[in-house]
Each structure stands twice: as structure tokens, then as C-alpha cells.
Amino acid sequence: MTAHETIDVPGSPHAAARGWHADIPDDMPMLRSAVDLTRDLAEARPGIYWPDMLVSAAIGYGSLALAILTQHIGVAIAAGVVAAIALYRALLFIHELTHIHKNALPGFRFAWNLLVGIPMLIPSLMYEGVHTLHHARTRYGTADDPEYLSLALMKPWSLPVFLLTAVLLPPALLFRFAILTPLGVLFPPLRRFVWERFSSLSINPQFRRRPPEGAFRRMVFWQELGASAWAITLLGSTYFLGWRPLLIIMAVQAFAAVLNQLRTLVAHLWENEGEAMTVTAQYLDSVNVPPPAFLAPVWAPVGLRYHALHHLLPSMPYHALGEAHRRLHAHLGGQSTYEQASYPGLFMLLGRLARNTMRKD
């Protein structure tokens, strides 16, 4: 996204009351600096991507196996927590797949889907072609953004409901791929419905996905086939192994999904009411949680602690975002627009969001 122009859109009354303006003028020195100071950081490094993804997956699956095999409840819980955190990190490489050039890391997309995406029933088709819409300059924060809800303007009860829906993700994915995908082969209208409504990691309930085309359509076929076969195998395994292994797998996946939902809650301020926003307004509606917030790499791994910076430089590889942040902080100074998107941690951001939902406009 290279948008360096100002969008002239009237601010809404609610936004004005909250000190938020979708049409805030673009900070051109910040936007130029973000590009000029980071040109040498733009290359995705295989020596970082591959070991990070593979080690995360290995720790996750090893811990998951321990949680299933042990008869000690304390060991099972501890192993399950480790498995959820490690697999959560491995899963979030799906975000990188949507941004890196298709030729940047040969074989990485295939390996990730084979080792992580399909076994966890979240193949990259669930994100690719969807997440980039969130970064489209004229879509961000509008009704056409699949990944935006004005959460700060909703009722207080909407936040716990939003968080708890993540617990339903594992059975929903199992049902989607084990039941709905095979039925969709027999009933094309059902397949179209499932693709439009249940084939993307979106949070906007109004989003309807367009049919896949070209090379992406072929990739979708193979990923759905693999995910469907694996989902059916998981359900079939209960006949031989009982329900305990599958329930543990789903519990671990649910924990990882809740972590991701927590991260989503604080990835943005969620204060826009649907207006098109300038690039600077999009940046200020997004969140960085830089050091010394030492737990941020756990709940916002793979560079997502720099989510606001990511919206300035969406193609920047995750391993370069820390250095990019340091350069911009040093160059622009502590009183700059750039610093206004930095926050101290998770709980402060959750508290801010909760207080906003309680305001009476």
C-alpha cells in the first residue's frame, strides 16, 4: 500500500466526540520516512522464516502429543498450554503468506499448509485474498473491510461475546471441512454459500467472499481436499481412539483461537464508524506495542506487536519490523505522529476498549 494522499471525508459526530477523525491530514514526513528509512529491510530471509516456523510447529506438536499421552492432569494442562502458544505462533505465519511475494520463499507456502495449515484446519485459503482487502486504502475501516468492526462503539457485552466466539472455532472448522465441504461437491448452491460465508478469517458479518479464480482456484481445490480428508480422519479416529485425543486437540486449538481473538481486540482502536480514512488515520487507529512490553511476542508473535507499523509497510517481513520501528523512533522523535500509535501493553488496551464501549454519546 503506497498511499500518500489526503482523503477529504467529513468526520462523524461520534468520531468527533471521541477525538477521532477519519479525515485527519496525512503526515507526509512520517509516510516518506517509513519508506526511505527501511528500503534495505524489505527482503524476506529464509534463514529466519523456515527455522522459526518449523521449530514452532515441532514444539507445538510435541507438546500436543504429550498432552494426549500423559495420564497426569497437571502435565497435560501444562503441555496443552505450551502446545497452544507454539502452534499459535506457527499458525500466524498465515499472515506473512498474504504479504510476501509469491517467489520470495520457494516452497514455504506449500510446507506451511502441509505442516500447519491443513493439520490445524486453517489452510492459507482462509486468509489469502481476504486479508489484503483490509489493507486496501479505500476499504480499511469501512463496511467493505472484512476485518473491521467498530468495536469501540458497540455495547459493553459485545467484547466478551466477541472473545468467547473463538472457543467455537475448532468445532466450526471441523464441521466446515468434514461435513460441508463434501456436501458442497454434491450440492453446488451449498458450496457457493459455504465459500461466501465460511471460507475466510473475517470478523465483519456482512462480508461475502467472491469466487476464487485462476491459479488461486486450483490452490483452493487442493487445500480444501487436504483439509477435508484430514477433518474426516480426525472424526473417524474417535472410533478407534475414543474422543479424548480429539477433544484435547480441540481444546488446544480453542486456546490458540482465544489468544488470537485477544490480539485482534487490541490490533486496532476500532473507533471508525465506516468512513474512508486517510493513511495517517488508519495508522493511528492501529496499534504498536514495542519493547519493553516483554509479553507482547507471546500474544502478538511473528511481528504483530508492530501492527500499526505493518499498516504503513504491509510488505515488510516480520523479522524486520523491530529494526524499522527503532529507525523511525530515532528519526522522528518521541513527540511525533509515529509515536502516537505506541501503547504499553495488552491490558491497558483492553481497558481502553472496554471504557469506550461504556461511553454514552
Side-chain angles (χ1 to χ4, degrees):
M1 181 178 65
T2 56
H4 288 188
E5 304 171 25
T6 300
I7 306 172
D8 185 14
V9 180
S12 72
H14 289 289
R18 294 169 184 273
W20 179 256
H21 300 280
D23 61 342
I24 184 173
D26 273 324
D27 186 329
M28 300 308 296
M30 179 184 73
L31 299 180
R32 282 192 292 266
S33 296
V35 174
D36 294 342
L37 295 175
T38 61
R39 294 184 190 279
D40 61 319
L41 302 176
E43 183 179 355
R45 297 171 61 183
I48 295 178
Y49 273 83
W50 282 98
D52 194 345
M53 186 270 287
L54 292 173
V55 170
S56 296
I59 292 173
Y61 290 133
S63 301
L64 180 59
L66 177 59
I68 292 172
L69 296 173
T70 185
Q71 299 301 311
H72 192 287
I73 186 65
V75 173
I77 291 173
V81 170
V82 173
I85 293 172
L87 290 173
Y88 172 51
R89 182 178 184 88
L91 276 167
L92 281 185
F93 277 92
I94 195 174
H95 181 255
E96 291 295 299
L97 291 178
T98 67
H99 289 291
I100 58 175
H101 191 274
K102 63 180 181 180
N103 298 324
L105 297 168
F108 190 83
R109 176 175 281 96
F110 175 81
W112 183 89
N113 275 293
L114 185 65
L115 298 175
V116 181
I118 289 175
M120 298 297 289
L121 298 181
I122 306 180
S124 62
L125 71 88
M126 304 288 284
Y127 213 49
E128 293 188 89
V130 175
H131 179 64
T132 48
L133 300 178
H134 176 59
H135 283 273
R137 180 190 174 201
T138 57
R139 282 180 181 259
Y140 175 90
T142 71
D144 296 323
D145 185 343
E147 297 180 23
Y148 199 95
L149 283 175
S150 299
L151 292 169
L153 310 180
M154 294 183 178
K155 301 296 183 182
W157 54 262
S158 63
L159 298 185
V161 169
F162 181 82
L163 186 61
L164 290 174
T165 54
V167 177
L168 302 176
L169 182 65
L173 290 172
L174 198 61
F175 183 72
R176 188 257 190 253
F177 285 109
I179 307 298
L180 294 181
T181 299
L183 286 177
V185 176
L186 301 176
F187 305 102
L190 175 63
R191 172 168 176 76
R192 287 193 294 271
F193 177 80
V194 170
W195 178 259
E196 289 179 355
R197 305 289 187 91
F198 306 119
S199 299
S200 59
L201 298 177
S202 58
I203 64 173
N204 181 352
Q206 304 304 316
F207 177 68
R208 301 292 181 265
R209 193 170 189 184
R210 294 180 179 179
E213 299 176 347
F216 183 63
R217 183 177 181 178
R218 292 190 292 273
M219 187 180 75
V220 165
F221 171 81
W222 289 110
Q223 288 184 18
E224 282 202 310
L225 179 63
S228 182
W230 179 245
I232 293 169
T233 299
L234 285 175
L235 284 178
S237 71
T238 61
Y239 180 80
F240 303 99
L241 304 175
W243 283 94
R244 183 175 182 272
L246 180 57
L247 290 176
I248 291 175
I249 291 171
M250 293 174 70
V252 166
Q253 191 175 21
F255 187 7
V258 169
L259 277 176
N260 186 61
Q261 204 79 324
L262 271 173
R263 179 197 63 79
T264 300
L265 278 175
V266 299
H268 299 286
L269 301 183
W270 309 109
E271 296 180 359
N272 192 49
E273 277 196 302
E275 302 96 338
M277 304 168 71
T278 64
V279 177
T280 297
Q282 293 178 27
Y283 172 78
L284 293 175
D285 189 45
S286 305
V287 169
N288 290 328
V289 185
F294 67 94
L295 286 178
V298 176
W299 59 264
V302 195
L304 287 170
R305 68 186 301 171
Y306 299 107
H307 198 74
L309 176 56
H310 167 68
H311 272 264
L312 288 184
L313 302 167
S315 62
M316 182 66 61
Y318 80 99
H319 55 72
L321 289 171
E323 175 60 25
H325 171 78
R326 286 188 288 272
R327 292 183 185 182
L328 287 166
H329 171 75
H331 178 74
L332 296 172
Q335 304 302 315
S336 65
T337 302
Y338 180 78
E339 291 301 310
Q340 293 178 35
S342 291
Y343 297 87
L346 174 67
F347 295 108
M348 175 269 172
L349 287 161
L350 288 173
R352 173 191 171 120
L353 182 59
R355 287 191 300 272
N356 281 342
T357 64
M358 297 175 189
R359 291 183 181 179
K360 304 295 183 181
D361 291 331

